[in-house]
Amino acid sequence: MTLTSLTRETLSDQIARQLMNFIVTTNLQPGDLLPSETKLAADFGVSRSVVREAMRSLAAQGAIEVISGKGAIVRPVDDSLLRIFFQRAIEVGQGSHVELMEIRKPLEVQSSALAAQRRTAEEAESILETVSAMANELGNLEKYAVLDVELHLQIAAAAHNQLLYHLISSVRTMLHNVVLTGLQRRKGRDQLERIQTVHTAIARAIEQSDPGAARDAMAVHFDEAMQFINSTG
Amino acid sequence: MTLTSLTRETLSDQIARQLMNFIVTTNLQPGDLLPSETKLAADFGVSRSVVREAMRSLAAQGAIEVISGKGAIVRPVDDSLLRIFFQRAIEVGQGSHVELMEIRKPLEVQSSALAAQRRTAEEAESILETVSAMANELGNLEKYAVLDVELHLQIAAAAHNQLLYHLISSVRTMLHNVVLTGLQRRKGRDQLERIQTVHTAIARAIEQSDPGAARDAMAVHFDEAMQFINSTG
DNA sequence: ACTTGTCAAGCTGTCAGACAAGTTGACAGC
DNA sequence: GCTGTCAACTTGTCTGACAGCTTGACAAGT
């Protein structure tokens, strides 16, 4: 017989669970208002403190947002939880920016391949537009960086995989400074033009529904980016 | 001039942030005890309720664990936040098991390649041991499934990328039932032997420090797995 | 018709104080 | 050495209170 330490579930934990369940089963949509703390406390037969602590849990997990004087509204699923995870892991030294890049590469490669398979005509067009807009900003690093984010997210969106999108988006956010540094190291116009060439290849492969080519081009893109991030000095 | 809606930060949010900061800067390790709620309330000059709500936030994010009658201890970084994210995304219909598989594949492929580059001698050996242990359980699906999880996690550990490890571990947990179903569809002994062959190829490539071969073998493994998951009936 | 001022009702944020229940360590008794 | 008891400290929950914010209704003034 094996023994396992037992823990009574606290009231607020139970209520947090029930509230989450309530949101899902009654199909509450982002923006919808939850009952007030007083009412919930009465319904559950507990004090307001307990309900408040339950809501604090859900708010900390990004499931709801509590607005003072108004109430608690349901929040859409976004990448905030992922960002908290990555942030904390790095803070505590359980992860690094290099590790993030090692995750980001295969995800973006997959994103590129899926986009080539699933992109709508509109998505393909707007990706090509972004790439040509970037061609005009080779002299403006800041604008180029902004468009670069946009491009990668457009591709991720065209992959039509929301989990993948959130992952890429959150990892990208964490790496923002690293990417910028990498770009700055390639200040030379010829270097930026090389990036532009690869970007074009990716976009074209997606537009031509060629997953293999899209995958390869994105892989090249990341291998080259890695070089400039690692080149110290 | 652009206007932006402003929000006062609540006391508990401030305290949650400061507490997290305190944990990191004073280098508290998992298991270490935080000051008591009463003491913190006194130190911060606020009521105990506020401190409690702050701790509830951190507990919901898995940063600490509050034990009744004892105190709050620091928790190690694990994949609980990731699991909450995936769980919620799927509950709300913002994600699916297919999407999870599409994420899992590139991550495990990368994991396999990195493991081939970085595995220690001990890791290579224990991976090979697991594979040969699986060879003896071809008739026992349950045991085989348990060892399968172990193998993939051993490989992820050998990749020496903790973020990647947590991601793979959490995605795998979410897919547990799907994987089991996939295995059951391959009940035929010859089918399981095919899996075993590929597993062996992966392990051998890792042992021989051949990232390319490891990558390819893992990709094949997932492509074949996908077939049996998708084959309805 | 449209803005403005005011007010009441309801909500969240915070406080103080209380008691129950769990944990721990010290210590006496066997 | 083991056990039972007790005191000190901790978290869990409750109650009642008040400040500050949000919203909607409504009257007053243009």
Side-chain angles (χ1 to χ4, degrees):
Chain A
M1 165 167 117
T2 60
L3 303 177
T4 166
S5 84
L6 41 84
T7 58
R8 287 184 223 317
E9 195 178 21
T10 164
L11 284 183
S12 32
D13 283 342
Q14 294 179 51
I15 291 184
R17 209 158 27 80
Q18 286 203 42
L19 275 183
M20 198 60 227
N21 203 30
F22 174 75
I23 292 175
V24 173
T25 58
T26 59
N27 200 24
L28 285 192
Q29 293 304 306
D32 287 356
L33 216 59
L34 262 62
S36 76
E37 293 173 357
T38 318
K39 174 159 174 28
L40 286 174
D43 288 356
F44 282 119
V46 297
S47 75
R48 190 154 79 96
S49 336
V50 174
V51 174
R52 280 185 62 79
E53 291 182 9
M55 295 194 131
R56 258 282 162 335
S57 290
L58 297 185
Q61 294 177 348
I64 65 175
E65 179 183 358
V66 182
I67 303 175
S68 174
K70 188 175 179 188
I73 62 177
V74 177
R75 274 188 26 131
V77 173
D78 62 9
D79 61 2
S80 55
L81 265 188
L82 296 176
R83 289 214 304 272
I84 293 176
F85 169 78
F86 289 126
Q87 178 81 44
R88 189 151 301 162
I90 289 180
E91 270 179 1
V92 185
Q94 286 257 348
S96 68
H97 294 285
V98 174
E99 293 193 1
L100 274 177
M101 274 303 278
E102 288 173 0
I103 290 172
R104 191 179 159 216
K105 179 185 170 186
L107 290 177
E108 294 249 20
V109 169
Q110 170 79 319
S111 162
S112 173
L114 291 179
Q117 294 175 313
R118 301 176 182 165
R119 93 287 183 288
T120 66
E122 292 78 16
E123 285 164 349
E125 190 181 350
S126 103
I127 287 173
L128 284 174
E129 275 174 16
T130 303
V131 170
S132 58
M134 294 173 85
N136 298 327
E137 303 292 351
L138 290 180
N140 187 336
L141 253 184
E142 286 184 20
K143 279 196 185 174
Y144 196 86
V146 171
L147 287 174
D148 186 58
V149 175
E150 200 175 309
L151 174 64
H152 283 269
L153 287 184
Q154 278 179 333
I155 295 174
H160 293 276
N161 179 323
Q162 307 194 59
L163 298 179
L164 183 59
Y165 181 89
H166 289 312
L167 267 174
I168 289 178
S169 158
S170 57
V171 173
R172 174 79 192 206
T173 302
M174 301 304 299
L175 282 172
H176 181 261
N177 286 331
V178 177
V179 171
L180 214 62
T181 307
L183 274 181
Q184 282 165 347
R185 289 228 174 90
R186 305 178 74 159
K187 262 196 189 119
R189 176 140 187 139
D190 49 339
Q191 307 261 23
L192 266 190
E193 272 172 5
R194 169 63 189 156
I195 298 185
Q196 183 66 21
T197 303
V198 181
H199 275 162
T200 307
I202 297 172
R204 213 166 268 160
I206 291 174
E207 188 247 341
Q208 289 170 1
S209 301
D210 186 341
R215 189 191 316 267
D216 293 344
M218 187 65 93
V220 168
H221 183 39
F222 269 84
D223 289 339
E224 294 184 0
M226 209 82 94
Q227 285 180 14
F228 280 85
I229 288 173
N230 287 336
S231 69
T232 52
Chain B
M1 162 168 118
T2 60
L3 302 178
T4 165
S5 82
L6 41 84
T7 57
R8 290 185 219 315
E9 195 179 22
T10 76
L11 287 182
S12 32
D13 283 342
Q14 295 180 49
I15 291 184
R17 209 157 27 78
Q18 286 203 42
L19 275 183
M20 198 60 226
N21 204 29
F22 173 75
I23 292 175
V24 173
T25 58
T26 58
N27 199 25
L28 286 192
Q29 294 304 305
D32 287 356
L33 216 59
L34 262 61
S36 76
E37 292 173 357
T38 317
K39 173 159 174 31
L40 286 174
D43 288 356
F44 282 120
V46 297
S47 75
R48 190 155 79 98
S49 333
V50 175
V51 174
R52 279 185 63 80
E53 292 183 8
M55 296 193 126
R56 259 284 169 320
S57 292
L58 297 185
Q61 295 177 348
I64 65 174
E65 180 183 358
V66 182
I67 303 175
S68 174
K70 189 176 178 186
I73 62 177
V74 177
R75 275 192 19 136
V77 172
D78 62 10
D79 60 3
S80 55
L81 266 188
L82 295 176
R83 290 214 304 271
I84 293 175
F85 168 78
F86 289 127
Q87 177 83 43
R88 191 153 298 163
I90 289 180
E91 270 180 0
V92 185
Q94 287 255 349
S96 68
H97 293 285
V98 174
E99 294 193 1
L100 274 177
M101 274 303 278
E102 288 173 1
I103 290 171
R104 190 178 161 219
K105 179 187 169 185
L107 289 178
E108 294 249 22
V109 170
Q110 170 78 321
S111 162
S112 173
L114 290 179
Q117 295 175 313
R118 300 177 182 165
R119 95 286 183 287
T120 65
E122 291 78 16
E123 286 163 347
E125 190 181 348
S126 102
I127 286 173
L128 283 174
E129 276 174 16
T130 303
V131 171
S132 57
M134 293 173 85
N136 298 326
E137 302 292 350
L138 290 180
N140 187 337
L141 253 184
E142 285 185 20
K143 278 196 184 174
Y144 196 86
V146 171
L147 288 174
D148 187 57
V149 175
E150 200 174 309
L151 174 64
H152 283 269
L153 288 185
Q154 278 179 333
I155 294 174
H160 292 275
N161 179 324
Q162 306 194 60
L163 298 180
L164 183 59
Y165 181 89
H166 289 312
L167 268 174
I168 289 179
S169 157
S170 56
V171 172
R172 173 79 193 209
T173 302
M174 302 302 301
L175 282 172
H176 180 260
N177 287 331
V178 178
V179 171
L180 214 61
T181 308
L183 274 181
Q184 282 164 347
R185 289 227 175 90
R186 304 178 76 161
K187 264 198 186 113
R189 176 139 186 138
D190 51 339
Q191 306 262 22
L192 267 190
E193 272 173 5
R194 170 62 189 156
I195 297 185
Q196 184 65 22
T197 303
V198 181
H199 274 162
T200 307
I202 297 172
R204 214 166 268 159
I206 292 174
E207 190 247 340
Q208 290 170 4
S209 301
D210 186 341
R215 189 190 316 266
D216 293 344
M218 186 64 92
V220 168
H221 183 40
F222 268 85
D223 289 338
E224 295 184 359
M226 209 82 95
Q227 285 180 13
F228 280 85
I229 289 172
N230 288 335
S231 69
T232 53

